[in-house]
Amino acid sequence: MTTQLLSTTEQDLERAAELIRSGGLVAIPTETVYGLGANGLNPEAVKKIFEAKGRPQDNPLILHIHDASQLRDFCREIPDAAWTLAEAFWPGPLTMILPVRDCVPKTTTAGLDTVGVRCPDNAATREIIRLAGVPIAAPSANTSGKPSTTTAAHVLHDMDGKIDAIVDGGPCRVGVESTIVDLTGEKPRLLRPGGIGPEALSALLGELEIDNAVTGEIAKDAVVRAPGMKYKHYAPAAEVLIVDGSPEAAARYVRERFHAGDAVLCFAEELALFAGCNPTAYGREHDPASLSAGLFAALRALDDGRVQRIFARCPNGGGINVATRNRLRKSAGFHIVNAEAVDPLQVTGDK
Ligand code: TXA
Ligand code: MG
C-alpha cells in the first residue's frame, strides 16, 4: 500500500475523512502526539490499527470526538466531574475513562466496559472527525514499544506502506500523550500523567487518586487499570540510564564511565558541562513545555543504530514535568542512578 501525504487544506481533510469512513487508516495530528486513526465504530477498521502498530489486542484505544456534546453518544452515567473537566480542558490533552455504550465495539475497548474519550486541541483533526461523522479511535502513531511520533516524518518512518495516509499538521505542541483520568470509580484516579498536570486536575476535582503506574514500575502480571501502562514503552534501541543529582555530580558520573557509542540527553543549560560526551539537549530545564515537546524527537534522533547507551537527565517537580519524567523513566526501564550517592573514588568504569 502507498501511504499518501495529506496537508490540512479543506480538500485534503475531506479526503482523510473519506478514508476513515471507508474503513482506512489515517495518521492524524493532535496537540499531544500523532494518532493512528480509524473509524472507532468499525471493528474491521480498528483491527487494522493493532496490526499496523504490532499492538497487543488487550490494549484499548482512545475515542477522539470533535465536541464535548458527543460524550453522550458513546458514554453512559456521565458524572458532573466529567462535564467540569471537559469545560475546563477540552479541546485539550485530557482523556476521560467513562462507562461505554453498546454502540462502541469490543475491538475498540479491548472488551472493557469503559472507554477513554478525548477531544483533541487540533482544528484540522476535529474537522476530519466532524466530516467523517464517526469518532476516530487512535493510539499514538508509532510502532508498539517505540517513542511516540510528534512529526509527520516520524509517522512516515514507522508506518510507511502500512497505512493509507498521514495528515501533516506540523510538530506537536505538547509532545507527550494526554493525561488520563478514570472517572468510573468512587474517586477520580490519574492513570497516566500528561499535558494537564495533576495539580490542575485536583484543583478542580477536589480529590485525585494517583495510580501506581504514574510513578512506579509495574510487574508484568499486575492488574493495571490502563492496560497500556504495563508494556515496555518509549524505548529506543540504545539502553537508557537516568542520572539524577546535581548537574556537576551527574557530569562527573558520566565522564567517569563514558565510552565510544555513548550519548547524553540533557537540558540545554547543561550542554557545556557535558561537552565531549556527545550531548543532545531535548529542551530547557527552565521551560518544562520545551522538555515535553522535545523528548520523543530527541529519543528518536538518538535511535540511529550508532548509539548504544544514553545517559539521560530527567526534570523534577510538578505540572507537565510529571509526564516527562514518567515517559523518560519508562524509556529507561526504570534504570535510575543518583550521581550524588555514588562515591567517585570507588567506582570507575563500571556500568
Ligand atoms: O494523547 C493521546 O492520548 C494520544 C493521542 C493520539 O490522542 N493517544 C494515545 O493513545 O496515547 P495510546 O493508545 O498510545 O495510549 C492510550 C492509553 C493506553 O495506555 C491504554 O491502555 C489506555 O490509554 N486506555 C485506553 N482505554 C482505556 C480504558 N477504557 N481504561 C483504561 N485505560 C485505557
Ligand atoms: Mg502509545
Side-chain angles (χ1 to χ4, degrees), residues 28 30 32-36 53 55 58-62 64 93 95 97-98 108-109 112 114-116 118 120 138-142 148 176-180 182 191-192 225-229 233:
I28 50 172
T30 85
T32 59
V33 299
Y34 274 75
L36 183 50
K53 270 189 71 107
R55 182 177 173 107
D58 72 345
N59 196 357
L61 305 177
I62 294 172
H64 295 74
T95 297
I97 308 291
L98 291 163
T108 301
T109 61
L112 298 178
T114 59
V115 66
R118 171 164 121 78
S140 49
N142 52 284
S148 299
V176 291
E177 305 84 345
S178 61
T179 302
I180 305 183
D182 184 351
L191 301 188
R192 179 176 73 180
R225 285 172 204 249
M229 299 300 275
H233 253 102

